[in-house]
Amino acid sequence: MLNTNDILETIQMIQDENLDIRTITMGISLLDCIDSDIDVACEKIYNKIISKAGKLVEVGEGIEKEYGIPIINKRISVTPIAIISAACEGDPVKFALTLDRAAKDCNVNFIGGYSALVQKGFSAGDKRLIESIPRALSMTENVCSSVNIGSTKTGINLDACKLMGKIIRECSELTADKNCIGAAKLVVFCNAPEDNPFMAGAFHGVGEPDCIINVGVSGPGVVRAALKKAPNANITECADIIKKTAFKITRMGQLVGTQAGKRLGVPFGIVDLSLAPTPAIGDSVAHILEELGLEQCGTHGTTAALAMLNDAVKKGGVMASSRVGGLSGAFIPVTEDAGMIDAARSGALSIEKLEAMTAVCSVGLDMIVVPGDTPAETISAIIADEAAIGMVNSKTTAVRLIPAIGLKEGEELDFGGLLGYGPIMKINKKSSAAFINRGGLIPAPLQSLKN
């Protein structure tokens, strides 16, 4: 039986506390589109995406109207294009242009999967696709790209780290006239999940069904509001409050995912529990940490508070749904979080502190703007550091850095919309080039031997 108080509470969360479904993402397998002729493969890809996702936005808007739940983004993820492109000769950018055309015709804001999985080495087509990423992202509006360079099972591909530092710089350089947006649509992973609904890292893994709906929820403002009502609670009680709040948020996500799957005639996959912030006031993970008693995010105690928050979100979410996956935790993207932006501006939050926080949060060094003259080798070393945290801790970590071409530390870069804006953060200027140029594979840790 429906409880009136629960209904009123949910309405308040939506109206006053920024509660929303951040994304419904349709995952589509392109394995049956592989062809030795690149033009034929592209045509198959376009037709399949349109046939599966043509009504995605319409269905999402229908659910919004019927249930009064805001669904901010409708998105598509596809099989890593490096797998598809390996079968044919030609410029991989043709695939990116096809994905962009399909995304526009489906009216989604992003399509993810211009991706490669190179954690143990480069197979046919991988290097060709990776080297095309800067051109692909500069020539398209809706395409997102990701590369997995490490895992707990395989170790870290240092050659791939080296290459990705160069690729990230090229992405910024080719889109310097668009606030370096190319680099903001590219993420480098360790232990990338196959069912992540969030961009820029979404791709449809080879172990997934032919077509599926995954949902990403959001609710930093709701969690903060719940904590604000208990100013004298101890940290154990705070964890319980967060768990109960995450339960409610996740139930809403499951409802939307189930309905979307039913109406589109595809299976419902997972709810990603991640607290995904925005630059909007009142929708910040940093502000949750400050509500717990930190003067500003980044000060001592931040990592401990974030660990508790992340764990409580997971515990509350898994009680609400047996279909939990993706990244599931708390995102800390600097330019997309009003509290993180303020903390970085004031100097309370440094890249070194962010790296420590990534050991306990949902993803990694996300949406961080660095000086435009940052060497490619330094970016590669940052990727390697972050991948090491993921590899050793058997968790997903990622890097999304944006070298702000022509700008220096202390200035700001503004992307607009969900990608936000942020200060250019200080980078350690000592060289990592000799280490990165060694190349090779950092061996998998002992804990990888679990069979």
Side-chain angles (χ1 to χ4, degrees):
M1 186 172 176
L2 291 174
N3 185 304
T4 306
N5 289 332
D6 287 345
I7 295 170
L8 292 173
E9 183 182 38
T10 303
I11 292 170
Q12 182 184 357
M13 289 176 177
I14 291 168
Q15 290 181 340
D16 302 331
E17 297 166 8
N18 298 102
L19 178 61
D20 57 51
I21 299 298
R22 185 55 47 86
T23 181
I24 52 172
T25 301
M26 176 178 279
I28 303 172
S29 172
L30 302 182
L31 294 175
D32 56 349
C33 300
I34 292 173
D35 199 284
S36 59
D37 185 318
I38 191 169
D39 294 318
V40 173
C42 286
E43 191 60 26
K44 286 181 179 178
I45 287 170
Y46 176 82
N47 290 337
K48 182 161 188 185
I49 291 172
I50 294 297
S51 69
K52 296 291 185 181
K55 293 187 176 179
L56 177 62
V57 171
E58 179 187 327
V59 165
E61 289 174 348
I63 293 170
E64 282 185 272
K65 288 176 185 174
E66 186 172 336
Y67 291 96
I69 299 170
I71 302 173
I72 305 303
N73 300 297
K74 294 85 177 173
R75 296 167 170 172
I76 299 167
S77 64
V78 298
T79 306
I81 292 297
I83 297 171
I84 312 302
S85 67
C88 52
E89 295 296 325
D91 186 355
V93 172
K94 280 191 174 184
F95 289 105
L97 294 171
T98 299
L99 295 179
D100 201 48
R101 180 165 64 101
K104 284 182 169 65
D105 289 348
C106 288
N107 204 27
V108 298
N109 69 329
F110 283 126
I111 185 166
Y114 199 75
S115 307
L117 310 177
V118 295
Q119 56 267 28
K120 206 171 183 181
F122 300 95
S123 60
D126 285 334
K127 220 166 205 178
R128 200 158 40 115
L129 181 125
I130 291 171
E131 288 171 346
S132 77
I133 288 172
R135 286 187 301 116
L137 297 184
S138 69
M139 295 169 68
T140 60
E141 292 180 20
N142 304 84
V143 173
C144 289
S145 180
S146 60
V147 178
N148 193 67
I149 53 84
S151 75
T152 301
K153 277 287 185 186
T154 64
I156 299 169
N157 183 346
L158 204 60
D159 292 318
C161 289
K162 178 182 176 180
L163 178 57
M164 290 312 300
K166 173 174 165 284
I167 294 300
I168 288 170
R169 272 207 62 87
E170 287 181 13
C171 283
S172 274
E173 288 164 358
L174 285 183
T175 55
D177 60 335
K178 300 174 185 173
N179 292 325
C180 306
I181 191 70
K185 297 190 293 175
L186 170 62
V187 59
V188 184
F189 275 116
C190 178
N191 290 320
E194 295 190 338
D195 55 2
N196 166 26
F198 286 102
M199 300 295 169
F203 65 87
H204 188 71
V206 294
E208 294 286 294
D210 185 62
C211 187
I212 200 164
I213 286 287
N214 296 320
V215 172
V217 299
S218 180
V222 177
V223 174
R224 186 192 184 192
L227 290 170
K228 201 174 186 68
K229 295 170 187 172
N232 300 316
N234 66 34
I235 206 70
T236 308
E237 292 164 342
C238 287
D240 285 338
I241 290 168
I242 295 166
K243 280 191 290 185
K244 290 172 184 174
T245 307
F247 179 91
K248 294 171 186 174
I249 295 169
T250 307
R251 292 296 282 178
M252 190 177 79
Q254 170 134 336
L255 169 66
V256 169
T258 303
Q259 285 298 316
K262 189 182 297 181
R263 296 177 191 196
L264 288 162
V266 301
F268 164 50
I270 57 94
V271 179
D272 188 316
L273 312 175
S274 299
L275 295 178
T278 71
I281 301 302
D283 201 24
S284 163
V285 169
H287 289 159
I288 297 174
L289 304 179
E290 290 162 9
E291 195 64 50
L292 289 167
L294 304 174
E295 183 177 352
Q296 191 164 36
C297 179
T299 191
H300 305 294
T302 298
T303 306
L306 181 60
M308 184 277 287
L309 171 64
N310 210 51
D311 179 67
V313 166
K314 290 178 189 290
K315 286 174 177 172
V318 296
M319 289 298 291
S321 173
S322 58
R323 294 174 174 266
V324 170
L327 298 162
S328 290
F331 287 176
I332 53 170
V334 175
T335 73
E336 297 177 15
D337 185 306
M340 296 285 177
I341 294 167
D342 290 341
R345 275 180 181 154
S346 73
L349 188 64
S350 66
I351 285 185
E352 288 77 15
K353 184 59 178 177
L354 280 162
E355 184 180 305
M357 292 164 68
T358 64
V360 299
C361 81
S362 187
V363 193
L365 296 171
D366 196 15
M367 289 302 291
I368 295 173
V369 188
V370 298
D373 61 357
T374 304
E377 294 86 355
T378 298
I379 297 170
S380 298
I382 292 170
I383 293 169
D385 280 344
E386 193 57 32
I389 290 172
M391 175 183 73
V392 171
N393 291 290
S394 301
K395 73 183 291 293
T396 300
T397 52
V399 171
R400 191 160 43 147
L401 290 186
I402 301 98
I405 305 303
L407 300 178
K408 58 184 185 297
E409 178 191 327
E411 296 184 272
E412 292 198 356
L413 194 63
D414 189 345
F415 303 105
L418 273 178
L419 296 177
Y421 61 95
I424 297 168
M425 300 186 72
K426 182 180 178 181
I427 291 285
N428 191 319
K429 295 188 183 300
K430 298 296 183 183
S431 176
S432 312
F435 167 68
I436 291 300
N437 287 328
R438 285 180 180 271
L441 189 76
I442 296 177
L446 189 60
Q447 57 263 43
S448 69
L449 300 175
K450 291 182 178 178
N451 290 339

